[in-house]
Amino acid sequence: MSETQIEWTDATWNPVAGCSVISAGCTNCYAMEMARRLEAMGIDKYAGLTRKSGKRAVWKGIVREDWSALEIPARWKRPKKIFVNSMSDLFHEGVSDRFIKEVWSVMKRTSHHHYQILTKRPERMAAFVRKHVKEIVPNVWLGTSIENADHVARAEALKTVPAAIRFISFEPLIGPIGDIDLAGIHWAIVGGESGRLARPIREEWIDEVYEQCLQHNTAFFFKQWGTWGKDNKKRSKKANGRVYRGKTWDDMPRSLTTPGANGLG
């Protein structure tokens, strides 16, 4: 599970498997279907993590800590951006503090990598970091995902987390974000949903995030339109592409770019 097609990272690392649906952004989560496929391939780590609901696979809420996977990043000698737990959420209530501490230890020791941790549970992330992380680890980026205005409070929870880089993934963006303050947020990722059941994205919703990025000098990364294009027509995500406002946006936070440059404008 190292190589990935996710545009904003180089590799994925999954020391945890399994999750729970907690908000609308989880409804069509690709990881649920992927877990079902991996189980069908005979990979024990993913056995029994999902159930069938109609034609979809849905998380059961079972979470597994994979201690054998902890040292995988140490084997990667070339520096990478690593998305931590693309198949789960490190701060799921089923993951023990003890295990999270071990993950932190690995990230600290493998300082040639940059780690991107994304959670829908930023309150637990904040509590854990304040209690157990004695110093900011510069190669660890901490983020939360926000799919619509119902969950903008996650941004405020994220701002309380001591971190070298704080980021928000507005993906899948399935509704307007409305009034959100990106002060203290270093990076924003925006993307539409993909797949046969994908919900539409609207350009004005992207504009809301983009304008806040301009105001607060937050690096802006537009991942994809997804299944629904700028013209509100349904087609393959490849056909809809990644162009927004006439260009492709691949901006990264300042730790990976020239200081003061974010490409916005």
Side-chain angles (χ1 to χ4, degrees), residues 185-221:
I185 304 300
H186 305 96
W187 189 35
I189 305 164
V190 179
E193 196 166 49
S194 58
R196 63 185 180 86
L197 299 174
R199 292 156 288 186
I201 189 173
R202 297 285 186 267
E203 188 167 12
E204 57 266 30
W205 303 344
I206 306 169
D207 292 341
E208 289 177 334
V209 178
Y210 175 82
E211 294 299 333
Q212 276 292 315
C213 288
L214 276 179
Q215 183 175 341
H216 295 289
N217 203 30
T218 301
F220 177 82
F221 192 109

Short mmCIF file of all heavy atoms in Angstrom, two decimals, residues 185-221:
data_model
loop_
_atom_site.label_atom_id
_atom_site.label_comp_id
_atom_site.label_asym_id
_atom_site.label_seq_id
_atom_site.Cartn_x
_atom_site.Cartn_y
_atom_site.Cartn_z
N ILE A 185 -4.18 28.24 9.28
CA ILE A 185 -4.20 27.05 8.43
C ILE A 185 -3.22 27.28 7.29
O ILE A 185 -3.32 28.26 6.56
CB ILE A 185 -5.61 26.77 7.89
CG1 ILE A 185 -6.63 26.65 9.03
CG2 ILE A 185 -5.61 25.51 7.02
CD1 ILE A 185 -6.34 25.55 10.03
N HIS A 186 -2.28 26.36 7.12
CA HIS A 186 -1.19 26.57 6.16
C HIS A 186 -1.49 26.05 4.76
O HIS A 186 -0.85 26.48 3.79
CB HIS A 186 0.08 25.89 6.68
CG HIS A 186 0.47 26.32 8.06
ND1 HIS A 186 0.11 25.61 9.19
CD2 HIS A 186 1.14 27.42 8.50
CE1 HIS A 186 0.59 26.23 10.26
NE2 HIS A 186 1.20 27.32 9.88
N TRP A 187 -2.44 25.14 4.66
CA TRP A 187 -2.66 24.46 3.38
C TRP A 187 -4.12 24.04 3.29
O TRP A 187 -4.70 23.57 4.27
CB TRP A 187 -1.75 23.24 3.32
CG TRP A 187 -1.65 22.50 2.03
CD1 TRP A 187 -1.69 23.00 0.77
CD2 TRP A 187 -1.45 21.08 1.88
NE1 TRP A 187 -1.52 22.00 -0.15
CE2 TRP A 187 -1.37 20.81 0.50
CE3 TRP A 187 -1.32 20.02 2.78
CZ2 TRP A 187 -1.17 19.53 0.00
CZ3 TRP A 187 -1.13 18.75 2.29
CH2 TRP A 187 -1.05 18.50 0.91
N ALA A 188 -4.72 24.21 2.10
CA ALA A 188 -6.09 23.77 1.86
C ALA A 188 -6.14 22.94 0.59
O ALA A 188 -5.60 23.34 -0.46
CB ALA A 188 -7.03 24.96 1.73
N ILE A 189 -6.77 21.78 0.68
CA ILE A 189 -6.99 20.90 -0.47
C ILE A 189 -8.49 20.92 -0.77
O ILE A 189 -9.30 20.78 0.14
CB ILE A 189 -6.56 19.46 -0.15
CG1 ILE A 189 -5.11 19.40 0.32
CG2 ILE A 189 -6.77 18.55 -1.36
CD1 ILE A 189 -4.76 18.08 1.01
N VAL A 190 -8.84 21.08 -2.04
CA VAL A 190 -10.25 21.09 -2.43
C VAL A 190 -10.46 20.06 -3.53
O VAL A 190 -9.64 19.95 -4.46
CB VAL A 190 -10.69 22.48 -2.93
CG1 VAL A 190 -12.16 22.44 -3.37
CG2 VAL A 190 -10.50 23.53 -1.84
N GLY A 191 -11.54 19.30 -3.44
CA GLY A 191 -11.82 18.32 -4.49
C GLY A 191 -13.27 17.88 -4.49
O GLY A 191 -13.93 17.85 -3.45
N GLY A 192 -13.76 17.54 -5.67
CA GLY A 192 -15.10 16.99 -5.81
C GLY A 192 -15.08 15.49 -5.62
O GLY A 192 -14.04 14.84 -5.65
N GLU A 193 -16.27 14.93 -5.45
CA GLU A 193 -16.42 13.49 -5.23
C GLU A 193 -16.39 12.75 -6.56
O GLU A 193 -16.80 13.28 -7.60
CB GLU A 193 -17.74 13.23 -4.50
CG GLU A 193 -17.85 11.85 -3.89
CD GLU A 193 -19.01 11.75 -2.91
OE1 GLU A 193 -20.13 12.18 -3.28
OE2 GLU A 193 -18.81 11.26 -1.80
N SER A 194 -15.89 11.51 -6.52
CA SER A 194 -15.86 10.68 -7.73
C SER A 194 -16.59 9.37 -7.46
O SER A 194 -16.86 9.01 -6.33
CB SER A 194 -14.42 10.42 -8.18
OG SER A 194 -13.68 9.80 -7.15
N GLY A 195 -16.90 8.67 -8.55
CA GLY A 195 -17.61 7.41 -8.43
C GLY A 195 -19.04 7.51 -8.93
O GLY A 195 -19.57 8.60 -9.15
N ARG A 196 -19.68 6.36 -9.08
CA ARG A 196 -21.02 6.33 -9.68
C ARG A 196 -22.08 7.01 -8.83
O ARG A 196 -23.10 7.47 -9.35
CB ARG A 196 -21.44 4.88 -9.97
CG ARG A 196 -21.56 4.00 -8.75
CD ARG A 196 -21.86 2.55 -9.11
NE ARG A 196 -21.97 1.71 -7.93
CZ ARG A 196 -23.09 1.56 -7.24
NH1 ARG A 196 -24.19 2.17 -7.62
NH2 ARG A 196 -23.11 0.78 -6.17
N LEU A 197 -21.86 7.10 -7.52
CA LEU A 197 -22.84 7.73 -6.63
C LEU A 197 -22.40 9.13 -6.20
O LEU A 197 -22.96 9.70 -5.26
CB LEU A 197 -23.05 6.86 -5.39
CG LEU A 197 -23.60 5.45 -5.64
CD1 LEU A 197 -23.63 4.65 -4.34
CD2 LEU A 197 -24.98 5.51 -6.27
N ALA A 198 -21.43 9.69 -6.89
CA ALA A 198 -20.85 10.98 -6.50
C ALA A 198 -21.89 12.09 -6.48
O ALA A 198 -22.79 12.16 -7.33
CB ALA A 198 -19.73 11.35 -7.45
N ARG A 199 -21.74 12.96 -5.48
CA ARG A 199 -22.58 14.15 -5.37
C ARG A 199 -21.89 15.33 -6.04
O ARG A 199 -20.66 15.42 -6.04
CB ARG A 199 -22.85 14.43 -3.89
CG ARG A 199 -23.73 13.37 -3.24
CD ARG A 199 -23.55 13.30 -1.74
NE ARG A 199 -22.27 12.71 -1.35
CZ ARG A 199 -21.91 12.43 -0.10
NH1 ARG A 199 -22.75 12.70 0.89
NH2 ARG A 199 -20.74 11.88 0.16
N PRO A 200 -22.66 16.24 -6.64
CA PRO A 200 -22.05 17.34 -7.41
C PRO A 200 -21.26 18.32 -6.56
O PRO A 200 -21.48 18.45 -5.35
CB PRO A 200 -23.27 18.05 -8.03
CG PRO A 200 -24.40 17.08 -7.95
CD PRO A 200 -24.13 16.25 -6.72
N ILE A 201 -20.32 19.00 -7.20
CA ILE A 201 -19.59 20.12 -6.63
C ILE A 201 -19.99 21.37 -7.42
O ILE A 201 -20.38 21.27 -8.58
CB ILE A 201 -18.06 19.87 -6.71
CG1 ILE A 201 -17.29 20.92 -5.93
CG2 ILE A 201 -17.58 19.79 -8.15
CD1 ILE A 201 -15.78 20.62 -5.83
N ARG A 202 -19.91 22.52 -6.78
CA ARG A 202 -20.24 23.78 -7.44
C ARG A 202 -19.03 24.72 -7.38
O ARG A 202 -18.34 24.78 -6.36
CB ARG A 202 -21.43 24.46 -6.76
CG ARG A 202 -22.73 23.67 -6.82
CD ARG A 202 -23.35 23.73 -8.21
NE ARG A 202 -24.66 23.09 -8.22
CZ ARG A 202 -24.89 21.81 -8.53
NH1 ARG A 202 -23.85 21.04 -8.86
NH2 ARG A 202 -26.09 21.31 -8.52
N GLU A 203 -18.81 25.45 -8.46
CA GLU A 203 -17.65 26.34 -8.51
C GLU A 203 -17.72 27.40 -7.42
O GLU A 203 -16.67 27.77 -6.85
CB GLU A 203 -17.54 27.00 -9.88
CG GLU A 203 -16.25 27.79 -10.05
CD GLU A 203 -15.98 28.18 -11.49
OE1 GLU A 203 -16.90 28.04 -12.34
OE2 GLU A 203 -14.85 28.62 -11.78
N GLU A 204 -18.90 27.88 -7.08
CA GLU A 204 -19.00 28.91 -6.05
C GLU A 204 -18.58 28.39 -4.68
O GLU A 204 -18.12 29.16 -3.83
CB GLU A 204 -20.41 29.50 -5.98
CG GLU A 204 -21.53 28.52 -5.74
CD GLU A 204 -22.20 28.01 -7.02
OE1 GLU A 204 -21.49 27.95 -8.07
OE2 GLU A 204 -23.40 27.68 -6.98
N TRP A 205 -18.70 27.09 -4.45
CA TRP A 205 -18.23 26.52 -3.18
C TRP A 205 -16.70 26.53 -3.14
O TRP A 205 -16.11 26.80 -2.09
CB TRP A 205 -18.72 25.09 -3.01
CG TRP A 205 -20.21 24.91 -3.09
CD1 TRP A 205 -21.18 25.88 -2.98
CD2 TRP A 205 -20.91 23.67 -3.28
NE1 TRP A 205 -22.43 25.33 -3.10
CE2 TRP A 205 -22.29 23.97 -3.29
CE3 TRP A 205 -20.50 22.35 -3.47
CZ2 TRP A 205 -23.27 22.99 -3.47
CZ3 TRP A 205 -21.47 21.37 -3.64
CH2 TRP A 205 -22.83 21.69 -3.64
N ILE A 206 -16.09 26.22 -4.27
CA ILE A 206 -14.63 26.28 -4.35
C ILE A 206 -14.17 27.72 -4.15
O ILE A 206 -13.18 27.98 -3.44
CB ILE A 206 -14.13 25.75 -5.71
CG1 ILE A 206 -14.68 24.36 -5.99
CG2 ILE A 206 -12.60 25.74 -5.76
CD1 ILE A 206 -14.45 23.88 -7.42
N ASP A 207 -14.89 28.67 -4.76
CA ASP A 207 -14.53 30.08 -4.64
C ASP A 207 -14.48 30.52 -3.18
O ASP A 207 -13.61 31.32 -2.80
CB ASP A 207 -15.55 30.95 -5.39
CG ASP A 207 -15.51 30.78 -6.90
OD1 ASP A 207 -14.48 30.29 -7.42
OD2 ASP A 207 -16.50 31.13 -7.56
N GLU A 208 -15.40 30.03 -2.36
CA GLU A 208 -15.42 30.41 -0.94
C GLU A 208 -14.10 30.06 -0.26
O GLU A 208 -13.54 30.86 0.51
CB GLU A 208 -16.57 29.71 -0.22
CG GLU A 208 -17.95 30.20 -0.59
CD GLU A 208 -19.05 29.41 0.12
OE1 GLU A 208 -18.81 28.24 0.49
OE2 GLU A 208 -20.13 29.99 0.32
N VAL A 209 -13.61 28.86 -0.55
CA VAL A 209 -12.35 28.42 0.06
C VAL A 209 -11.18 29.20 -0.53
O VAL A 209 -10.29 29.67 0.18
CB VAL A 209 -12.15 26.91 -0.14
CG1 VAL A 209 -10.81 26.47 0.45
CG2 VAL A 209 -13.29 26.13 0.50
N TYR A 210 -11.19 29.33 -1.84
CA TYR A 210 -10.10 30.04 -2.52
C TYR A 210 -9.93 31.46 -1.99
O TYR A 210 -8.80 31.91 -1.74
CB TYR A 210 -10.38 30.05 -4.02
CG TYR A 210 -9.38 30.86 -4.82
CD1 TYR A 210 -8.15 30.32 -5.19
CD2 TYR A 210 -9.67 32.17 -5.20
CE1 TYR A 210 -7.23 31.06 -5.91
CE2 TYR A 210 -8.76 32.92 -5.92
CZ TYR A 210 -7.54 32.36 -6.28
OH TYR A 210 -6.64 33.11 -6.99
N GLU A 211 -11.03 32.17 -1.82
CA GLU A 211 -10.96 33.55 -1.34
C GLU A 211 -10.39 33.62 0.07
O GLU A 211 -9.62 34.53 0.41
CB GLU A 211 -12.34 34.21 -1.39
CG GLU A 211 -12.90 34.39 -2.79
CD GLU A 211 -12.05 35.30 -3.67
OE1 GLU A 211 -11.33 36.16 -3.12
OE2 GLU A 211 -12.09 35.14 -4.91
N GLN A 212 -10.73 32.65 0.91
CA GLN A 212 -10.15 32.61 2.25
C GLN A 212 -8.66 32.30 2.20
O GLN A 212 -7.87 32.82 3.00
CB GLN A 212 -10.87 31.57 3.11
CG GLN A 212 -12.15 32.07 3.76
CD GLN A 212 -11.85 33.11 4.83
OE1 GLN A 212 -10.95 32.96 5.64
NE2 GLN A 212 -12.60 34.20 4.81
N CYS A 213 -8.26 31.45 1.25
CA CYS A 213 -6.84 31.16 1.08
C CYS A 213 -6.07 32.42 0.69
O CYS A 213 -4.98 32.68 1.20
CB CYS A 213 -6.64 30.07 0.04
SG CYS A 213 -7.13 28.42 0.56
N LEU A 214 -6.63 33.20 -0.22
CA LEU A 214 -6.01 34.46 -0.61
C LEU A 214 -5.84 35.38 0.60
O LEU A 214 -4.79 35.98 0.80
CB LEU A 214 -6.87 35.17 -1.65
CG LEU A 214 -6.72 34.79 -3.11
CD1 LEU A 214 -7.68 35.62 -3.96
CD2 LEU A 214 -5.28 35.00 -3.59
N GLN A 215 -6.89 35.47 1.40
CA GLN A 215 -6.88 36.40 2.54
C GLN A 215 -5.83 36.02 3.57
O GLN A 215 -5.21 36.90 4.18
CB GLN A 215 -8.27 36.44 3.18
CG GLN A 215 -8.39 37.43 4.33
CD GLN A 215 -9.80 37.53 4.86
OE1 GLN A 215 -10.77 37.15 4.18
NE2 GLN A 215 -9.94 38.04 6.07
N HIS A 216 -5.62 34.73 3.78
CA HIS A 216 -4.74 34.28 4.87
C HIS A 216 -3.44 33.67 4.38
O HIS A 216 -2.71 33.06 5.17
CB HIS A 216 -5.50 33.30 5.76
CG HIS A 216 -6.65 33.92 6.47
ND1 HIS A 216 -6.50 34.82 7.50
CD2 HIS A 216 -8.00 33.80 6.27
CE1 HIS A 216 -7.68 35.22 7.92
NE2 HIS A 216 -8.61 34.62 7.20
N ASN A 217 -3.14 33.82 3.08
CA ASN A 217 -1.89 33.30 2.52
C ASN A 217 -1.76 31.79 2.76
O ASN A 217 -0.68 31.27 3.09
CB ASN A 217 -0.69 34.04 3.10
CG ASN A 217 0.53 33.96 2.20
OD1 ASN A 217 0.40 33.87 0.98
ND2 ASN A 217 1.71 33.99 2.79
N THR A 218 -2.87 31.10 2.61
CA THR A 218 -2.93 29.65 2.76
C THR A 218 -2.68 29.00 1.40
O THR A 218 -3.33 29.36 0.41
CB THR A 218 -4.30 29.22 3.30
OG1 THR A 218 -4.54 29.85 4.55
CG2 THR A 218 -4.39 27.72 3.45
N ALA A 219 -1.76 28.07 1.32
CA ALA A 219 -1.48 27.38 0.06
C ALA A 219 -2.73 26.64 -0.40
O ALA A 219 -3.41 25.98 0.39
CB ALA A 219 -0.32 26.42 0.23
N PHE A 220 -3.05 26.73 -1.69
CA PHE A 220 -4.29 26.19 -2.25
C PHE A 220 -3.97 25.09 -3.25
O PHE A 220 -3.21 25.29 -4.20
CB PHE A 220 -5.07 27.32 -2.94
CG PHE A 220 -6.34 26.90 -3.61
CD1 PHE A 220 -7.52 26.75 -2.88
CD2 PHE A 220 -6.38 26.68 -4.98
CE1 PHE A 220 -8.71 26.38 -3.51
CE2 PHE A 220 -7.56 26.30 -5.62
CZ PHE A 220 -8.72 26.15 -4.88
N PHE A 221 -4.55 23.91 -3.03
CA PHE A 221 -4.35 22.76 -3.90
C PHE A 221 -5.72 22.29 -4.39
O PHE A 221 -6.56 21.87 -3.59
CB PHE A 221 -3.66 21.63 -3.12
CG PHE A 221 -3.15 20.50 -3.97
CD1 PHE A 221 -1.79 20.33 -4.17
CD2 PHE A 221 -4.01 19.58 -4.55
CE1 PHE A 221 -1.30 19.28 -4.93
CE2 PHE A 221 -3.55 18.54 -5.32
CZ PHE A 221 -2.17 18.38 -5.52
#
